């Protein structure tokens, strides 16, 4: 029996009751599932049966494998008996198996003995086993001999298998009732529980039923939540720091393996795990979509890779900026030559500083609205003298990291940032790179910088010698992932590897930033090759080891800031830029030339239509034309000709100047206004020659 209460489960239900969906939800959190299909192919002309089979296949994740047993009814017991303790089997269903068992092609046969063999295999199964079977005992007795034989055989099978299983559930109309409670509570992860499997809020719980909860995706275990580190929320202007939280002590690492989620599902972390992959299509679609947006210039440049990464990990061509972000600060020292040149107690001070909301990492986390979790990892022994960790410590560290990722996913975290502050971490990472990528230690080990900002080349040589001696000591040892962690990597690299695997299983992307993160990425390749596709490296930080690991993992750094503020700080410094790129990609419209619309109307205003006339006269700048014949104006024009002696004429009150050439007047009524005379004046007759203010005005002149 597995640690969470049951190892084998029989799910009964009628036709279209939801039994298969419930069974699939129970094993949905397992990294790998072998689906054992028992139903025969059926009549090729039966399209309805083919549709049912296609619907079953469509629900299975791509990481599942399928095994057919319809050709031989005795093979099902053999498959179950041969399954190992690290496997998960889903048999769907026993009704199809009984159909094959009663097929005339397999008769005569001892059906009772075959059913007994199946029950014995279920009882002795070491694998995690879920069987689905139709419950036919509630219907009428069939009227045909073949129908009665089928119901009798299936009823006998259900009774025998139910007796052999640890737990039995009955699904009726989408509701689950537990008929055979397990010895301990069992939990179905929230992301795998269908709506019909979770009791309504406030409804009565099934008496004696294994616990089903949608509040947590971690199995219910014997270790309280306090075993995980406290999650902190730094603020930009922190209040006086409280007393530092107690570091995780040896008791955390002595916790039984039953507290860890992988074992709770009947599995262990092992090489070759099949974990989810990012979406292969939405990433390229998102990058292609950028070419259609209303962006001036050449676009986002290298940040297009951020958009493609976010689209693939979010499963949408229009990814949104990461909201909830959590920083995991791993604190664990490496003893011996690996930490040569490090100030004693400095890493512990940095960890306390981060808990208090101070220091570069905590302040950058506050600026980004990210939560911070300081994780204490086991201290690693000197690698030049012996293994850094024992095998048991490696297993515990991997599962501990997995639990940290699960806890973050349950809290709604959308992005994880891996950080580290232990002494000697870069040396351990260099040893891992040398073992997994064949690198030379001096080429991947960065220079040692003292607390005064000076290079300590003597300490660097001691670290190189420690890696050299460790590689020589392990030259005949296996290079499997767990062996590398035990011999060279140490506690922080092992926990970081577990975080990457757990985040991959829960589809949470991770920002790597420094030697511990990339070393964990190198080790995780051998455990689950999918993990590296969920990682993004914003900057290599000028570290040679990070550059090499990024090249091996296929991670191209986006920036070259050359910040050296501690592992994790550069990723947080670059995070606002990454979020800005995603905001633009999600919020900008399509360019109008490609069918998009304008947010604003930039067209020129049209002239105003006709309206009431203005009371103010408009100026007239046209040249006046010659006056034609017509009625006399009431306002006489100014006569600028020289006075002609003779006839007096009426003086104008306010004449208007006229500078146009007169045209000869045609026949018509005579004008009352005298025409200008441009002829030479004749000598003036007697009269005044000057005009003064009090002097008389000569005939034909105006008094100004």
């Amino acid at each position: 029996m597995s640690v969470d209460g049951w190892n084998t489960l029989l799910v009964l239900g009628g036709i279209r009751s939801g039994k298969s969906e419930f069974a699939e939800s129970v094993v949905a959190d397992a990294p790998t599932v072998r689906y054992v299909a028992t139903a025969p192919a059926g009549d090729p002309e039966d399209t309805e049966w083919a549709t049912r089979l296609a619907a079953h296949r469509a629900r299975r994740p791509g990481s599942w494998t399928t095994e057919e047993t319809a050709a031989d009814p005795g093979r099902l017991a053999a498959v179950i008996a041969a399954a190992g303790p690290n496997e998960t089997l889903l048999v769907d269903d026993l009704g199809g198996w009984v159909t094959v068992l009663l097929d005339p092609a397999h008769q005569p046969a001892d059906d009772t003995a075959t059913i007994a063999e199946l029950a014995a295999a279920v009882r002795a199964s070491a694998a995690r086993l879920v069987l689905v079977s139709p419950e036919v005992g509630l219907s009428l007795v069939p009227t045909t001999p073949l129908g009665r034989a089928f119901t009798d055989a299936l009823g006998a099978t259900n009774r025998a298998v139910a007796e052999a299983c640890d737990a039995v559930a009955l699904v009726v109309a989408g509701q689950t009732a537990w008929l055979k409670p397990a010895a301990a509570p069992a939990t179905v992860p929230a992301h795998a529980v269908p709506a019909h499997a979770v009791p309504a809020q406030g409804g009565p719980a099934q008496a004696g039923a294994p616990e089903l909860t949608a509040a947590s995706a971690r199995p219910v275990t014997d270790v309280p939540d306090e075993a995980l580190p406290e999650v902190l929320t730094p603020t930009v202007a922190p209040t006086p720091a409280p007393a530092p939280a107690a570091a995780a002590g040896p008791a955390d690492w002595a916790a039984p393996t039953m507290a860890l989620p992988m074992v709770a599902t009947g599995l262990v972390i092992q090489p070759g795990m099949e974990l989810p992959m990012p979406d292969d299509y939405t990433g390229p679609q998102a990058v292609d979509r950028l070419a259609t947006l209303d962006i001036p210039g050449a676009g986002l440049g290298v940040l297009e890779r951020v958009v493609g990464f976010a689209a693939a990990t979010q499963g949408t061509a229009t990814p949104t900026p990461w909201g909830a972000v959590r920083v995991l600060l791993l604190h664990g020292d490496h003893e011996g030559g690996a930490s040569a040149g490090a100030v004693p107690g400095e890493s512990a001070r940095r960890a306390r500083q981060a808990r208090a909301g101070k220091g570069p990492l905590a302040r950058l986390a506050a600026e980004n609205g990210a939560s911070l979790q300081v994780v204490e990892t086991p201290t690693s022994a000197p690698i030049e003298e012996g293994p850094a960790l024992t095998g048991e410590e490696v297993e515990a560290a991997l599962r501990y990291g997995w639990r940290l990722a699960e806890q973050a996913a349950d809290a709604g975290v959308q992005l994880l940032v891996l950080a580290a502050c232990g002494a000697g971490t870069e040396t351990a990472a260099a040893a891992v790179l040398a073992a997994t990528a064949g690198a030379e230690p001096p080429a991947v080990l960065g220079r040692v910088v003292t607390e005064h900002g000076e290079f300590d080349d003597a300490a660097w040589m001691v670290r190189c010698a420690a890696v050299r001696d460790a590689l020589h000591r392990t030259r005949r040892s296996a290079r499997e992932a767990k062996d590398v962690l035990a011999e060279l990597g140490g506690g922080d690299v092992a926990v970081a590897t577990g975080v990457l695997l757990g985040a991959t299983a829960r589809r949470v992307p991770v920002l790597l930033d420094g030697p511990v993160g990339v070393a964990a990425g190198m080790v995780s390749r051998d455990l689950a090759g999918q993990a590296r596709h969920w990682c993004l490296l914003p900057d290599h930080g000028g570290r040679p080891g990070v550059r090499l690991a990024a090249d091996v993992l296929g991670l191209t750094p986006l920036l070259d800031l050359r910040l050296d503020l501690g592992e994790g700080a550069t990723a947080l410094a670059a995070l606002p830029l990454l979020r800005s790129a995603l905001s633009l990609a999600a919020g900008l419209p399509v360019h109008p030339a490609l069918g998009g619309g304008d947010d604003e109307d930039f067209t020129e205003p049209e002239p105003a239509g006709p309206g009431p006339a203005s009371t103010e006269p408009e100026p007239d700048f046209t040249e006046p034309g010659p006056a034609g014949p017509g009625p006399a104006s009431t306002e006489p024009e100014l006569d600028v000709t020289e006075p002609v002696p003779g006839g007096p004429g009426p003086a104008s009150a306010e004449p208007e100047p006229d500078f146009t050439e007169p045209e000869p007047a045609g026949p018509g009524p005579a004008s009352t206004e005298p025409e200008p005379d441009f002829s030479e004046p004749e000598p003036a007759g007697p009269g005044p020659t000057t005009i003064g203010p009090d002097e008389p005005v000569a005939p034909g002149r105006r008094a100004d």
Side-chain angles (χ1 to χ4, degrees):
M1 183 178 295
S2 70
V3 295
D4 62 349
W6 59 269
N7 192 68
T8 53
L9 169 65
L10 174 63
V11 180
L12 299 170
I15 298 173
R16 300 294 190 185
S17 62
K19 60 184 182 299
S20 294
E21 290 89 337
F22 175 75
E24 291 166 4
S25 72
V26 171
V27 298
D29 61 341
T32 57
V33 176
R34 182 153 40 126
Y35 187 96
V36 182
T38 62
D43 187 356
E45 302 296 330
D46 191 347
T47 57
E48 192 275 338
W49 179 251
T51 302
R52 285 175 179 251
L53 294 181
H56 274 261
R57 295 190 187 101
R59 287 201 307 265
R60 303 172 201 166
S63 60
W64 290 14
T65 59
T66 302
E67 186 163 348
E68 304 280 350
T69 63
D72 180 11
R75 188 162 175 267
L76 178 59
V79 169
I80 294 174
N86 300 328
E87 294 187 79
T88 297
L89 269 63
L90 174 57
V91 179
D92 195 359
D93 67 2
L94 296 182
W97 179 77
V98 170
T99 301
V100 176
L101 181 64
L102 298 179
D103 192 297
H106 302 292
Q107 299 295 330
D110 190 346
D111 300 340
T112 304
T114 307
I115 294 172
E117 291 175 1
L118 175 62
V122 171
R123 184 177 292 105
S125 173
R128 186 79 158 184
L129 177 62
V130 178
L131 304 103
V132 180
S133 183
E135 175 54 52
V136 296
L138 303 179
S139 63
L140 298 175
V141 177
T143 59
T144 63
L146 183 58
R148 289 192 293 272
F150 176 79
T151 55
D152 291 345
L154 184 56
T157 301
N158 287 346
R159 291 181 62 180
V161 173
E163 176 65 26
C165 284
D166 301 327
V168 179
L170 175 64
V171 180
V172 180
Q175 307 302 311
T176 305
W178 291 87
L179 307 180
K180 185 177 181 181
T187 296
V188 179
H191 63 278
V193 180
H196 65 263
V198 183
Q201 184 175 2
Q206 175 70 25
E211 177 187 355
L212 290 176
T213 174
S216 171
R218 281 193 304 110
V220 176
T221 63
D222 294 338
V223 177
D225 290 340
E226 288 74 14
L228 292 175
E230 178 187 5
V231 179
L232 308 173
T233 305
T235 57
V236 177
T239 55
D252 295 330
W253 297 98
T257 56
M258 63 185 294
L260 304 170
M262 287 301 289
V263 171
T265 58
L267 299 169
V268 294
I269 298 178
Q270 59 185 357
M273 292 189 299
E274 292 291 335
L275 298 181
M277 279 283 290
D279 196 307
D280 291 334
Y281 301 100
T282 55
Q285 287 174 357
V287 175
D288 293 342
R289 180 178 172 273
L290 293 177
T292 68
L293 300 183
D294 190 7
I295 299 178
L300 296 178
V302 296
L303 296 182
E304 289 185 352
R305 296 204 303 268
V306 179
V307 178
F309 173 80
T313 53
Q314 294 180 20
T316 175
T318 55
T320 57
W322 298 294
V325 179
R326 177 168 297 180
V327 183
L328 297 179
L329 177 60
L330 309 182
H331 171 234
D333 292 339
H334 297 257
E335 297 178 343
S339 58
V343 178
E346 177 66 13
S347 64
R349 186 182 72 85
R350 293 294 181 187
R352 292 193 302 269
Q353 187 183 58
R355 287 193 184 96
K358 300 179 180 179
L361 191 70
R363 293 190 176 274
L364 286 172
E367 291 289 343
N368 285 280
S371 59
L372 175 63
Q373 196 169 14
V374 182
V375 181
E376 296 292 336
T377 65
T379 301
S380 304
I383 57 176
E384 65 270 29
E385 299 176 2
L389 298 175
T390 64
E392 292 77 11
E393 287 176 319
V394 170
E395 293 287 351
L398 287 172
R399 295 169 189 146
Y400 193 68
W402 186 292
R403 280 188 64 193
L404 291 169
E406 287 254 333
Q407 183 194 46
D410 294 343
V413 171
Q414 300 173 354
L415 180 70
L416 284 174
V417 179
L418 266 183
C421 66
T425 56
E426 192 168 358
T427 307
V432 171
L433 290 176
T436 56
E440 290 293 333
V444 295
L445 192 57
R447 299 180 70 178
V448 180
V449 181
T450 67
E451 58 182 331
H452 304 294
E454 300 174 349
F455 290 115
D456 189 345
D457 290 335
W460 177 80
M461 288 187 286
V462 172
R463 295 186 181 189
C464 289
V467 177
R468 177 202 62 195
D469 294 345
L471 294 175
H472 180 76
R473 177 182 60 80
T474 60
R475 64 189 182 280
R476 294 187 177 88
S477 301
R479 286 291 187 258
E480 299 293 335
K482 294 181 180 180
D483 297 321
V484 171
L485 292 175
E487 296 288 348
L488 306 171
D492 49 1
V493 179
V495 172
T497 303
V499 169
L500 292 185
L501 297 175
T504 300
R506 295 299 298 271
R507 301 177 182 271
V508 179
V510 182
L511 289 188
L512 303 182
D513 179 24
V516 171
V518 296
M522 294 291 294
V523 176
S524 67
R525 288 186 313 161
D526 297 332
L527 296 172
Q530 302 82 6
R532 67 184 182 90
H533 296 282
W534 294 87
C535 298
L536 184 67
L537 183 66
D539 196 345
H540 55 68
R543 295 183 176 93
V546 176
R547 285 180 174 177
L548 173 64
D551 185 59
V552 174
L553 294 173
L555 303 176
T556 304
L558 300 171
L559 308 171
D560 189 9
L561 300 178
R562 302 293 180 124
L563 295 181
D564 192 7
L565 302 174
E567 184 164 352
T570 301
L572 289 176
L575 185 56
L577 180 62
L578 308 186
R579 281 172 162 169
S580 298
L582 295 179
S583 297
L584 290 175
L588 288 177
V590 176
H591 196 281
L594 300 176
D598 269 340
D599 293 337
E600 187 175 350
D601 187 6
F602 298 102
T603 58
E604 290 292 335
E606 295 183 359
S614 173
T615 57
E616 190 172 325
E618 296 183 2
D620 184 8
F621 301 100
T622 59
E623 289 290 334
S633 172
T634 58
E635 192 170 323
E637 296 180 357
L638 179 65
D639 185 6
V640 295
T641 60
E642 291 293 329
V644 180
S652 171
E654 194 171 341
E656 208 174 284
D658 183 9
F659 302 101
T660 59
E661 288 290 333
E663 292 183 7
S671 173
T672 59
E673 199 171 305
E675 296 182 2
D677 185 6
F678 297 97
S679 59
E680 285 294 328
E682 294 181 7
T689 56
T690 60
I691 301 175
D694 298 327
E695 295 176 345
V697 180
R701 301 293 297 274
R702 60 175 289 185
D704 294 328

